[in-house]
Amino acid sequence: MTPSPAWAPDSWRSRPAAQQPIWPDEDELKRVHAHLTGLPPLVFAGEARHLTRALGQAANGRAFVLQAGDCAESFAEFSADAIRDKLKVILQMAVVLTYGAGLPVVKVGRIAGQFAKPRSSPTELVGGETIDSFRGHMVNDDLPERSARIPDPRRLVAAYQQSVATLNLLRAFTKGGFADLNQVHAWNQEFVASSTEGQQFEDIAEGIDRALRFMSACGINLTAEDSLHEVDFWTSHEALILDYEEALTRRDSLTEEWYDCSAHMLWVGERTRQIDGAHCEFLAGIRNPVGTKIGPTATPDDVVALCERLNPERTPGRLTLITRLGADRVDDGLPPLLEAVRDEDHPVVWICDPMHGNTFSADGGRKTRRFDDILAELTGFFRAHRGAGTWPGGVHVELTGDDVTECLGGVEDIVEGQLDQRYTTTCDPRLNARQSLDLAFAVAEMLRG
Ligand code: TRP
Ligand code: MN
């Protein structure tokens, strides 16, 4: 296919590019770019094609997507334990959804590359001084000081290195025994296991044990069934900093097509999805599965135009639309979008991001989200799809494996006064492990109808 007459990894440069940092040292940026261009890819084109096929199942109503991870990964909180704990909660959610809905779950992490953040303002006021906004550890540091906020191109290489190490460990865990269904009890962390949701999870884990014993007793050789012992776990992040994404874009030697090898899947955000802008131009030419966030200002025409631009060949699984309308707007806003895309016969994966349309500042100034609003947007999402006869293909959530207090509510009922206790995110508030599990049970229920 030909996205633009002469697409190239750098053709985005002739378009307006929103949300790019102003790097103070252009020569340093050029050196870093050249260096990254020579480094090995993180993923292989064949894997991206494999994910497109898996997502194609979700476009056709035969699978469900779980896309989950940090709002922003952090250089400071980088450890094997943190990666393991995040994977644990994602595996728990996947099991709950697979078991509860009886559907294959496509597991996609917001991980191993999610280091850049779009901002509503390029600067902020700290103690009377105007300094650059924090744009993610790929660009600058979150410390509220002028010098920490100066964009540093060497951070692109650090982000690459951390992504490499993260993906390496994820591959080890998911293919090396940690994700084995025989380990299902081990994913229930202590502070989760003691809770109601944790108990409910143990019930499912016992159900799985029993099913495995049953199959074994029937004479099925479970050891030989690879699918019981490992999972396909895909990586994704927002393709925001195009200097980075361009440098990791390579031509596949088998097909001669271009792939952004920084992750399996890439998406553009609500602030960078301009149809003639640099980000859409970049996504249009890479062959990875791609996505776009869809916020409350998007019209049916906008959404159809995005489908034409990003998936002119109508390949199922190529394009995912991630809606983030807010609990109070989903009922009115979503149906017209679903109908327009349906009537144009565009095969898309519809995913609900119930996080970003439901953020507000609590009295103490902390950014937070109410668990009930998150569930309400999900309920509206399922209702709208039922009405339009389209498939609610997945969820996109920000979570952590840690026992944080960043989102309000849930079974443990975190209240505003508790936000300060364990509020560690570098950007948006994330669901903690118990709230995440809670959400998975609720979604499994919605999928059963
Ligand atoms: N491989 C299957 C799948 O990914 C079954 C499976 C193995 C699984 N380990 C898992 C499912 C952990 C969810 C979570 O669906
Ligand atoms: Mn976020």
Side-chain angles (χ1 to χ4, degrees):
M1 74 165 251
T2 42
S4 304
W7 189 92
D10 66 352
S11 53
W12 62 270
R13 291 180 187 275
S14 62
R15 313 267 182 142
Q19 297 283 342
Q20 302 306 289
I22 299 167
W23 306 97
D25 185 345
E26 279 287 330
D27 290 338
E28 179 73 14
L29 178 66
K30 287 209 180 83
R31 269 193 299 278
V32 162
H33 186 88
H35 177 54
L36 279 172
T37 304
L39 293 176
L42 277 99
V43 307
F44 155 61
E47 295 181 291
R49 286 192 285 274
H50 194 139
L51 175 57
T52 300
R53 282 195 294 277
L55 291 170
Q57 298 293 310
N60 293 327
R62 289 193 291 269
F64 192 76
V65 181
L66 172 62
Q67 189 172 27
D70 261 305
C71 176
E73 287 174 273
S74 160
F75 285 1
E77 271 161 51
F78 173 43
S79 72
D81 287 0
I83 296 167
R84 182 200 59 203
D85 292 345
K86 213 172 297 165
L87 181 63
K88 274 183 182 172
V89 59
I90 295 174
L91 291 175
Q92 282 190 293
M93 294 177 78
V95 156
V96 167
L97 291 165
T98 314
Y99 193 82
L103 274 173
V105 172
V106 185
K107 304 149 196 78
V108 185
R110 263 182 85 106
I111 199 166
Q114 179 53 27
F115 289 103
K117 303 309 300 170
R119 302 316 305 239
S120 47
S121 164
T123 56
E124 68 176 302
L125 203 60
V126 174
E129 196 191 12
T130 304
I131 64 173
D132 284 347
S133 292
F134 172 53
R135 289 183 180 275
H137 282 165
M138 182 185 271
V139 176
N140 56 11
D141 193 67
D142 52 303
L143 260 186
E145 289 168 12
R146 174 184 292 280
S147 61
R149 296 289 175 85
I150 298 171
D152 180 351
R154 287 170 305 182
R155 286 177 169 270
L156 299 176
V157 180
Y160 166 87
Q161 302 287 8
Q162 183 164 328
S163 300
V164 168
T166 303
L167 182 52
N168 179 57
L169 193 58
L170 287 170
R171 290 187 193 274
F173 280 143
T174 53
K175 300 294 176 185
F178 185 82
D180 193 319
L181 278 179
N182 291 305
Q183 293 295 319
V184 61
H185 295 277
W187 309 328
N188 217 359
Q189 295 189 73
E190 249 164 63
F191 71 92
V192 181
S194 54
S195 65
T196 352
E197 313 87 290
Q199 281 305 311
Q200 224 179 325
F201 181 77
E202 278 302 313
D203 292 345
I204 287 185
E206 269 156 40
I208 290 171
D209 286 347
R210 215 174 305 129
L212 291 175
R213 280 198 302 274
F214 173 72
M215 288 192 284
S216 176
C218 291
I220 297 169
N221 180 359
L222 300 186
T223 327
E225 290 295 329
D226 287 344
S227 70
L228 297 174
H229 310 299
E230 51 186 53
V231 298
D232 288 333
F233 189 84
W234 312 100
T235 60
S236 70
H237 62 261
E238 177 173 352
L240 184 69
I241 307 298
L242 294 174
D243 275 299
Y244 179 79
E245 305 302 338
E246 178 194 326
L248 286 163
T249 297
R250 311 292 161 81
R251 204 191 270 278
D252 173 33
S253 57
L254 297 175
T255 62
E256 301 272 294
E257 293 171 324
W258 292 101
Y259 284 83
D260 181 351
C261 296
S262 71
H264 298 110
M265 177 192 184
L266 288 310
W267 76 83
V268 291
E270 175 67 1
R271 297 190 179 88
T272 50
R273 61 171 169 77
Q274 300 81 6
I275 201 91
D276 294 318
H279 292 83
C280 276
E281 170 64 13
F282 179 74
L283 285 202
I286 57 168
R287 295 285 78 217
N288 308 57
V290 298
T292 167
K293 293 283 186 97
I294 303 288
T297 60
T299 64
D301 286 349
D302 292 341
V303 177
V304 170
L306 281 165
C307 293
E308 292 290 338
R309 175 109 173 87
L310 295 175
N311 192 16
E313 295 182 329
R314 291 175 160 70
T315 307
R318 153 73 178 171
L319 179 62
T320 296
L321 300 179
I322 310 165
T323 57
R324 27 99 68 233
L325 303 180
D328 51 348
R329 290 167 118 143
V330 64
D331 284 330
D332 292 336
L334 188 54
L337 306 181
L338 303 184
E339 287 156 17
V341 172
R342 179 198 65 195
D343 293 346
E344 293 294 326
D345 282 325
H346 265 289
V348 303
V349 185
W350 288 105
I351 290 191
C352 177
D353 165 0
M355 313 294 292
H356 288 91
N358 297 305
T359 317
F360 67 98
S361 287
D363 280 345
R366 293 282 197 198
K367 252 208 259 182
T368 189
R369 294 157 173 161
R370 282 194 194 88
F371 190 74
D372 286 348
D373 294 341
I374 291 168
L375 282 192
E377 177 155 1
L378 278 165
T379 308
F381 174 80
F382 276 85
R383 197 185 303 125
H385 279 281
R386 212 160 292 129
T390 45
W391 175 244
V395 291
H396 179 120
V397 290
E398 291 183 344
L399 56 72
T400 166
D402 302 336
D403 191 12
V404 299
T405 53
E406 299 173 4
C407 291
L408 302 170
V411 176
E412 62 205 296
D413 198 15
I414 296 171
V415 297
E416 288 203 17
Q418 289 171 305
L419 287 179
D420 282 336
Q421 287 176 4
R422 290 179 303 282
Y423 193 100
T424 60
T425 183
T426 41
C427 196
D428 287 342
R430 304 157 297 175
L431 298 171
N432 65 30
R434 291 174 57 180
Q435 291 167 329
S436 302
L437 199 49
D438 229 356
L439 181 123
F441 281 115
V443 171
E445 193 65 46
M446 294 174 201
L447 272 168
R448 278 197 294 268

